[in-house]
Amino acid sequence: MTFQEQIQQGIPSVLPQPKPYETTINHAPKRKEILSAEEKKLAVRNALRYFDAKDHAVLAKEFLEELDTYGRIYMYRLRPEYKMYARPISEYPGKSEQAKAIMLMIQNNLDYAVAQHPHELITYGGNGAVFQNWAQYLLTMKYLSEMTEEQTLVMYSGHPMGLFPSHKEAPRVVVTNGMVIPNYSKPDDWEKFNALGVSQYGQMTAGSYMYIGPQGIVHGTTITVLNGFRKIKKSPSGSLFVTSGLGGMSGAQPKAGNIAGCVTVCAEVNPKITHIRHSQGWINEIIENIKELVPRVKKALENKEIVSIAYLGNIVDVWERFDQENLHIDLGSDQTSLHNPWAGGYYPMGYSFEESNELMANDPEKFKTEVQKTLRRHAAAINKHTAKGTYFFDYGNAFLLEASRAGADVMAENNIDFKYPSYVQDIMGPMCFDYGFGPFRWVCASGKPEDLAKTDEIASKVLEEMSKTAPIEIQQQMQDNIQWIKGAQENKLVVGSQARILYADAEGRTKIAEAFNQAIARGEIGYVVLGRDHHDVSGTDSPYRETSNIYDGSKFTADMAIHNVIGDSFRGATWVSIHNGGGVGWGEVINGGFGMVLDGSKEASRRLESMLFWDVNNGISRRSWARNDGAIFAIKRAMEAQPLLKVTIPNKVDDALLDF
């Protein structure tokens, strides 16, 4: 069968032969036992819904074995034979170009060069899934190949509910992930619902088909590192940034450090992912012996090298050893997946990677105890460095949250706030999000590198023209992005699809998108898929990250994210998604995203102008109402540009009046 025929087939009527478990693949760790005997029967019953009754006897035993062995039913047998990657849009079967673009984006999320655990359909973060099992993937791709412009595909946590009649202006796909009743959002609830096959953790851009590899976060990380050095009034040259994690998102850190121009040390316990990042060029060197690490770092600092070094081992070793050697760390952070601390997101001291995985599956309570012990030790080592002048920031990965729950010394004197700020509180919030700058991204659906180069050139010209009249308040943001996009090609950021990201405000996103659409209309480039990270101005309500610099008491509310997705859906988005849990953990955040296909038409121009304006200014409005000065400036500027926009502006209160 051809690739197109396999897509159109969906779930095959004749079962393929079982596939061997490939040990060379970076697999997800075994999930802990969470289901009772009766619940296991329910999980198998749920999985068999996808198959004809004639196959149930064979599959029931197989699925139970998967559940017992891996803690989940992945349906490995159904994994496609064809190579998984984002093909040019022309190679996908279908009646809708928009649907073909979505198929392209789904396959990009599962590309072996992109996905963290491709055989388990997990893109990043240890548990950020595109689908729960391979039957869902096959059925979704079949539906997309059949879809017309008068239908919408409805996705329930990876399960394609089906194609429903709609209309041309409606989203082609509506995605939800993990949207459980609020009182059932504890970590064990996720474990149970996921094992039952009824819900999944879609992270931010995994389950919304908008992940573009480490590049998706490297720009934001670069801005964070650059502004971190600006905050401490120190040049990155000859300075040291220490952090940990080389997974799907955290893998961007070493590359960002190189672009910023500092020495970066990033610890990682997983050998496979460490060597993958090295082979991809995202890190320069790997060191496995802590005794070798110290002199290498000292030499790099003395010579003012721009180098990224992966330490294959536990990050606590690095913090403690550098303290003993009195090696000064300028910037420090952590980007391990502590939203998922008990299932592979963070590893304890004193155990090998393999021993940790065994302990996680076979004795989860002891594993939790060891992780919390390590978190206390981790925080204690950081405290020693900050006492000597290190600037440490939480990277929104729930490090401080989980450290506090473990009893670590991370609380401020008021015992309410953390002693260290979130990077959003100190850097990204006031410097970027409040002004409307966030991670705008695009993918060239042709798959041609030359199309990406043309879009880089177009975006650069738009930004340079805008910077001539941009107010002083956003000149730094403009210049950072111009520098970024001009260096994008030489930094070799592409992994998977021909994609790019830059931080832009509503005006910048709209003008860049319209310039792309005009270039498509002229036949200069092929179709372009627009999107963004959910980690943005408006899409995410996350009290410990995206909205951590909201100080009016509303940071624990999620109205903004819900309104964002509803508004995007009727303003022209090709697909929309709303998730529980992305970034900082199940039950800790609600976040939304979108995708939009540009085809060179007048309709696309109308949609992008309407939707992108709302997608950003919804968030600026909320941040303005929270009395954030930058957002008040930004929303007033937006109202001047668009007379139909009328937003309630807060009145400031004299603090002296509240001295009672």
Side-chain angles (χ1 to χ4, degrees):
M1 296 173 71
T2 65
F3 167 71
Q4 288 81 4
E5 288 170 340
Q6 290 180 72
I7 292 292
Q8 292 170 316
Q9 173 187 233
I11 299 172
S13 56
V14 177
L15 288 180
Q17 290 299 307
K19 291 182 173 60
Y21 186 83
E22 295 185 24
T23 57
T24 57
I25 297 297
N26 188 35
H27 287 284
K30 179 187 176 183
R31 309 304 183 184
K32 68 180 180 180
E33 288 279 344
I34 194 71
L35 300 182
S36 66
E38 285 302 309
E39 287 169 334
K40 283 188 176 183
K41 292 179 182 179
L42 179 58
V44 173
R45 186 187 298 274
N46 287 344
L48 292 173
R49 286 182 286 192
Y50 292 99
F51 303 91
D52 190 282
K54 66 180 173 58
D55 297 317
H56 285 187
V58 171
L59 293 177
K61 294 179 181 178
E62 186 173 310
F63 291 165
L64 179 61
E65 184 179 348
E66 284 191 10
L67 193 59
D68 287 337
T69 306
Y70 310 113
R72 295 292 185 273
I73 299 172
Y74 296 115
M75 307 184 187
Y76 289 120
R77 178 197 286 259
L78 296 183
R79 211 164 33 77
E81 296 288 347
Y82 51 75
K83 186 177 179 182
M84 191 68 70
Y85 69 100
R87 292 160 172 77
I89 191 170
S90 59
E91 294 187 19
Y92 291 94
K95 304 169 184 176
S96 163
E97 294 301 302
Q98 293 182 340
K100 292 180 184 180
I102 297 168
M103 285 192 271
L104 179 159
M105 298 300 291
I106 287 172
Q107 290 202 312
N108 186 65
N109 271 20
L110 296 171
D111 185 330
Y112 283 22
V114 173
Q116 184 180 14
H117 305 306
H119 285 193
E120 289 76 38
L121 301 114
I122 289 170
T123 302
Y124 67 95
N127 60 352
V130 189
F131 301 98
Q132 297 180 63
N133 57 60
W134 285 102
Q136 292 178 347
Y137 165 82
L138 294 176
L139 190 53
T140 298
M141 297 294 279
K142 175 180 170 63
Y143 278 138
L144 289 169
S145 74
E146 297 170 347
M147 173 186 287
T148 72
E149 300 289 304
E150 303 291 331
Q151 291 174 303
T152 293
L153 176 61
V154 178
M155 300 294 300
Y156 277 50
S157 277
H159 167 64
M161 188 63 71
L163 293 170
F164 289 78
S166 59
H167 55 86
K168 192 173 182 179
E169 294 296 313
R172 297 281 68 79
V173 182
V174 175
V175 179
T176 58
N177 281 296
M179 298 304 291
V180 300
I181 305 303
N183 281 350
Y184 301 90
S185 268
K186 297 183 292 296
D188 274 358
D189 292 326
W190 170 74
E191 294 282 356
K192 176 174 286 191
F193 298 147
N194 195 215
L196 286 172
V198 297
S199 192
Q200 75 171 6
Y201 188 84
Q203 262 289 354
M204 287 190 152
T205 52
S208 60
Y209 325 141
M210 191 45 71
Y211 190 66
I212 59 170
Q215 180 188 179
I217 194 64
V218 71
H219 183 33
T221 307
T222 301
I223 291 174
T224 301
V225 173
L226 281 172
N227 284 321
F229 281 115
R230 287 170 184 154
K231 190 169 184 66
I232 63 174
K233 296 179 173 57
K234 189 166 184 182
S235 168
S237 179
S239 298
L240 177 60
F241 172 44
V242 170
T243 186
S244 57
L246 284 173
M249 299 296 280
S250 54
Q253 295 177 108
K255 174 70 81 171
N258 281 6
I259 296 171
C262 62
V263 176
T264 304
V265 173
C266 189
E268 171 59 59
V269 296
N270 184 336
K272 280 185 181 176
I273 198 64
T274 302
H275 290 289
I276 286 171
R277 292 289 174 247
H278 186 250
S279 67
Q280 291 174 338
W282 289 80
I283 53 176
N284 300 125
E285 303 174 15
I286 299 173
I287 292 179
E288 299 185 29
N289 189 326
I290 194 73
K291 293 180 181 179
E292 296 175 11
L293 181 64
V294 173
R296 176 67 187 98
V297 172
K298 286 182 176 178
K299 179 183 177 183
L301 291 171
E302 289 169 7
N303 296 334
K304 294 189 175 182
E305 294 179 47
I306 298 174
V307 64
S308 55
I309 303 167
Y311 171 64
L312 185 51
N314 200 292
I315 182 60
V316 182
D317 285 332
V318 178
W319 284 100
E320 290 182 343
R321 187 68 178 218
F322 284 14
D323 174 55
Q324 294 165 9
E325 299 283 344
N326 206 28
L327 184 53
H328 180 68
I329 299 171
D330 298 285
L331 292 185
S333 193
D334 180 86
Q335 210 177 134
T336 50
S337 297
L338 271 158
H339 70 276
N340 183 33
W342 324 127
Y346 186 91
Y347 282 76
M349 293 282 291
Y351 297 84
S352 69
F353 182 63
E354 293 75 16
E355 289 169 343
S356 292
N357 284 330
E358 290 177 11
L359 186 65
M360 186 194 313
N362 301 325
D363 193 347
E365 286 306 311
K366 182 172 175 58
F367 181 81
K368 181 176 181 179
T369 298
E370 293 297 318
V371 163
Q372 291 189 318
K373 186 190 300 182
T374 302
L375 280 168
R376 292 193 292 271
R377 192 166 157 183
H378 192 165
I382 289 168
N383 291 341
K384 289 181 179 179
H385 282 274
T386 58
K388 294 187 282 190
T390 296
Y391 173 68
F392 182 86
F393 56 90
D394 184 282
Y395 222 127
N397 61 330
F399 170 71
L400 291 179
L401 182 63
E402 286 302 332
S404 69
R405 290 170 176 169
D409 179 15
V410 294
M411 302 306 296
E413 290 183 8
N414 63 13
N415 210 35
I416 297 173
D417 301 315
F418 296 127
K419 66 167 62 178
Y420 303 115
S422 155
Y423 76 116
V424 173
Q425 282 178 287
D426 254 19
I427 299 171
M428 299 303 287
M431 295 181 182
C432 292
F433 291 169
D434 284 354
Y435 289 100
F437 284 81
F440 180 56
R441 58 179 60 168
W442 64 90
V443 175
C444 294
S446 67
K448 296 177 180 178
E450 55 265 36
D451 275 14
L452 184 60
K454 288 175 185 175
T455 60
D456 286 344
E457 182 182 349
I458 291 169
S460 180
K461 287 180 179 178
V462 169
L463 292 176
E464 287 181 322
E465 189 63 30
M466 286 177 59
S467 70
K468 294 176 183 177
T469 56
I472 188 67
E473 287 85 350
I474 61 172
Q475 276 293 341
Q476 184 67 68
Q477 292 92 325
M478 297 295 295
Q479 294 308 314
D480 282 349
N481 279 288
I482 291 168
Q483 179 181 349
W484 164 267
I485 200 69
K486 285 189 171 182
Q489 292 285 333
E490 64 187 62
N491 285 320
K492 297 179 181 178
L493 298 163
V494 171
V495 176
S497 60
Q498 293 296 315
R500 186 68 72 228
I501 185 172
L502 58 77
Y503 267 52
D505 61 3
E507 180 186 9
R509 299 182 204 204
T510 302
K511 287 184 174 179
I512 291 169
E514 177 57 26
F516 290 168
N517 203 49
Q518 291 176 12
I520 296 167
R522 293 191 298 268
E524 296 173 7
I525 57 175
Y527 285 10
V528 171
V529 180
L530 300 182
R532 58 163 169 75
D533 196 346
H534 297 198
H535 169 63
D536 197 7
V537 180
S538 174
T540 295
D541 281 299
S542 182
Y544 297 107
R545 198 163 84 175
E546 283 77 7
T547 44
S548 60
N549 70 319
I550 299 292
Y551 300 110
D552 68 349
S554 71
K555 70 179 182 179
F556 293 98
T557 66
D559 303 78
M560 180 179 71
I562 300 298
H563 276 288
N564 176 259
V565 170
I566 292 172
D568 284 357
S569 69
F570 65 76
R571 285 179 170 89
T574 305
W575 73 95
V576 292
S577 60
I578 188 78
H579 297 182
N580 166 19
V584 296
W586 182 267
E588 303 286 356
V589 53
I590 300 295
N591 63 79
F594 77 87
M596 174 177 274
V597 179
L598 300 183
D599 59 7
S601 66
K602 292 180 180 178
E603 289 82 2
S605 289
R606 174 175 50 79
R607 289 170 184 160
L608 72 86
E609 183 174 357
S610 174
M611 201 220 73
L612 293 176
F613 185 86
W614 161 258
D615 191 66
V616 175
N617 283 296
N618 167 50
I620 296 176
S621 301
R622 188 269 182 95
R623 293 169 187 277
S624 166
W625 188 239
R627 295 182 291 268
N628 292 14
D629 290 334
I632 293 172
F633 165 84
I635 204 63
K636 286 181 176 178
R637 185 165 174 254
M639 285 192 283
E640 290 173 3
Q642 172 52 274
L644 293 177
L645 178 66
K646 297 183 185 299
V647 172
T648 308
I649 302 297
N651 293 299
K652 296 294 186 74
V653 178
D654 186 346
D655 288 345
L657 294 175
L658 304 177
D659 191 15
F660 47 74

